[in-house]
């Protein structure tokens, strides 16, 4: 089997969201790698890192030992995403998809009639991959194995740190309670000042009672009624 000088790698351009997820990863296509093998079918081999040293190229894809549904318990590796040279041309045309998402097919994950399914990866890894070119059932060329690829894993609630900048969870709770109490106290003081202010304004608005008008009564004892004019 010829060894071509190519190492599969996670895509770099363009940068994609979800380059690695909990069950998938995205590879760059092996363009212009197998151009000497025009009649070959090109397969992607996926294996756990600790099984690559004993991988056997002569085991054909679609067999029980290479079935996705048996990986990794009864199959040390599986083969998927078969393509031809026409799928990996040297020239890159605008708008063409130039990446491979490994693990993207969910519909065939348990379908034993589709042993070459590109199903979701069963664990975090680490995984290694390579491309293998077959003419009929005969392997004719292969790439190097990739570097180990780890998938994302969800954090266990017990593993999440309960500290923030060196402060314990108890200190954070105490700080929160004190902040709430301080806000309540501040609101009370504001309300008290408003009440006092309105009361002071009301007390200063005094209205003086109008002074009683005293009317002196004069005794007109020195004035006598004049007798009526005699006619």
């Amino acid at each position: 089997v010829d060894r071509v000088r190519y190492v599969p790698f996670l895509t770099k351009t363009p940068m994609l969201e979800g380059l690695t997820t909990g069950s998938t990863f995205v590879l760059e296509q092996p363009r212009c790698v197998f151009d000497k093998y025009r009649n070959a079918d090109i397969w992607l081999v996926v294996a756990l890192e600790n099984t690559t040293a004993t991988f056997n190229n002569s085991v054909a894809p679609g067999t029980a030992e290479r079935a996705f549904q048996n990986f990794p318990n009864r199959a040390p590796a599986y083969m998927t995403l078969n393509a031809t040279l026409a799928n990996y041309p040297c020239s890159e045309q605008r708008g063409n998809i130039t990446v491979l998402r490994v693990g993207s097919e969910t519909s065939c994950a348990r379908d034993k009639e589709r042993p070459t399914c590109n199903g979701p990866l069963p664990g975090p890894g680490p995984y290694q991959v390579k491309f293998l070119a077959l003419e009929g059932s005969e392997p004719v060329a292969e790439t190097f194995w990739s570097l180990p690829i780890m998938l994302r894993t969800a954090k266990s609630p017990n593993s999440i740190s309960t500290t923030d900048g060196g402060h314990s969870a108890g200190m954070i709770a105490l700080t929160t309670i004190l902040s709430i109490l301080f806000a309540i106290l501040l609101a009370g003081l504001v309300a008290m000042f408003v009440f006092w202010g309105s009361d002071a304004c009301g007390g200063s608005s005094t209205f003086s009672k109008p002074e009683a008008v005293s009317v002196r009564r004069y005794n007109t004892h020195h004035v006598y009624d004049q007798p009526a004019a005699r006619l």
Side-chain angles (χ1 to χ4, degrees), residues 10-17 19 26 28 92 96 98-99:
L10 296 177
T11 187
K12 297 178 181 178
T13 54
M15 290 300 295
L16 298 176
E17 291 293 331
L19 184 62
V26 183
E28 191 72 19
E92 183 177 332
N96 283 1
T98 61
V99 297

Side-chain angles (χ1 to χ4, degrees), residues 61-203:
T63 59
E65 197 175 344
R66 290 290 178 265
F68 169 80
Q69 290 78 12
N70 296 335
F71 178 78
N73 297 326
R74 288 175 291 160
Y78 68 95
M79 298 173 68
T80 186
L81 293 176
N82 59 310
T84 64
L85 193 62
N87 298 114
Y88 303 138
C90 293
S91 60
E92 183 177 332
Q93 297 180 359
R94 177 173 249 167
N96 283 1
I97 297 175
T98 61
V99 297
L100 300 172
R101 182 171 287 276
V102 181
S104 62
E105 291 186 85
T106 58
S107 60
C108 58
R110 297 184 181 181
D111 186 358
K112 293 186 178 181
E113 298 297 319
R114 294 185 59 189
T116 60
C117 175
N118 180 28
L121 293 158
Y127 299 99
Q128 286 184 274
V129 299
K130 73 175 181 178
F131 291 97
L132 178 64
L134 303 177
E135 290 184 354
S137 59
E138 190 72 24
V140 291
E142 66 176 348
T143 67
F144 291 94
W145 287 100
S146 69
L147 294 175
I149 300 170
M150 286 293 298
L151 302 184
R152 295 185 181 184
T153 55
K155 287 187 176 181
S156 168
N158 296 329
S159 67
I160 299 175
S161 175
T162 57
T163 61
D164 181 15
H167 299 290
S168 66
M171 287 293 294
I172 295 173
L174 180 60
T175 303
T176 303
I177 293 171
L178 290 177
S179 299
I180 294 172
L181 292 176
F182 177 75
I184 294 172
L185 178 61
L186 183 62
L189 289 174
V190 170
M192 189 179 297
F193 283 134
V194 170
F195 175 77
W196 284 351
S198 62
D199 187 62
C201 291

